[in-house]
Amino acid sequence: MTVLKTGVLVMDSAEPESLARFYAELLGAEVGPAAGDGELFLVTGGSGVVLGVRRDPNHVPPSWPTPEDSQQAHLRILVAADSLDEAEREAVALGARPLSAEEDGTRRDNRTTLRRFSDPAGHAFLLAAVREEPVAN
């Protein structure tokens, strides 16, 4: 018998609760501390745990998207194509910083399907257009 498991991407942050709240607002989810662990906050939605944010007082933001560095892990948030502009406005209003195509060495003409950002702690994430409505939380 296989033991039931769930995988979750965990990001480090000097201020994990505030970063978890950023993602909860952006994803329409909720946030709370992991059971028995005051250093880890979980962002959860209707489909379960979406993301974890762990306290690291020495956190240094990743250097991506500079061309000389690797991309590293990043979160790709799927958005209906006709809602991409609205999703971008929401992300920026919550504290995301847009990353220009020039910063990551890519062409500007893909902005119709992809938008790049850094979250308040400096982690990279993308808003990516999909043809159909993404699954709701």
Side-chain angles (χ1 to χ4, degrees), residues 9 11 23 26-27 50-51 64 71-79 84 104 110 113-117 123-130 134:
L9 175 67
M11 299 177 159
Y23 279 109
L26 185 62
L27 298 171
V50 177
L51 180 69
W64 183 82
Q71 184 172 0
Q72 302 182 19
H74 67 277
L75 186 62
R76 182 175 289 243
I77 299 170
L78 305 178
V79 178
L84 194 56
D104 68 9
N110 66 354
T113 60
L114 195 66
R115 311 282 169 86
R116 293 166 175 78
F117 300 88
H123 302 100
F125 73 93
L126 307 173
L127 294 175
V130 293

Side-chain angles (χ1 to χ4, degrees), residues 53-102:
V53 183
R54 181 186 73 89
R55 182 178 316 281
D56 177 358
N58 300 314
H59 170 72
V60 176
S63 59
W64 183 82
T66 57
E68 60 273 3
D69 295 326
S70 66
Q71 184 172 0
Q72 302 182 19
H74 67 277
L75 186 62
R76 182 175 289 243
I77 299 170
L78 305 178
V79 178
D82 62 352
S83 298
L84 194 56
D85 290 338
E86 183 178 352
E88 179 174 19
R89 287 189 294 273
E90 288 176 355
V92 171
L94 291 168
R97 183 177 70 86
L99 299 174
S100 71
E102 288 79 19

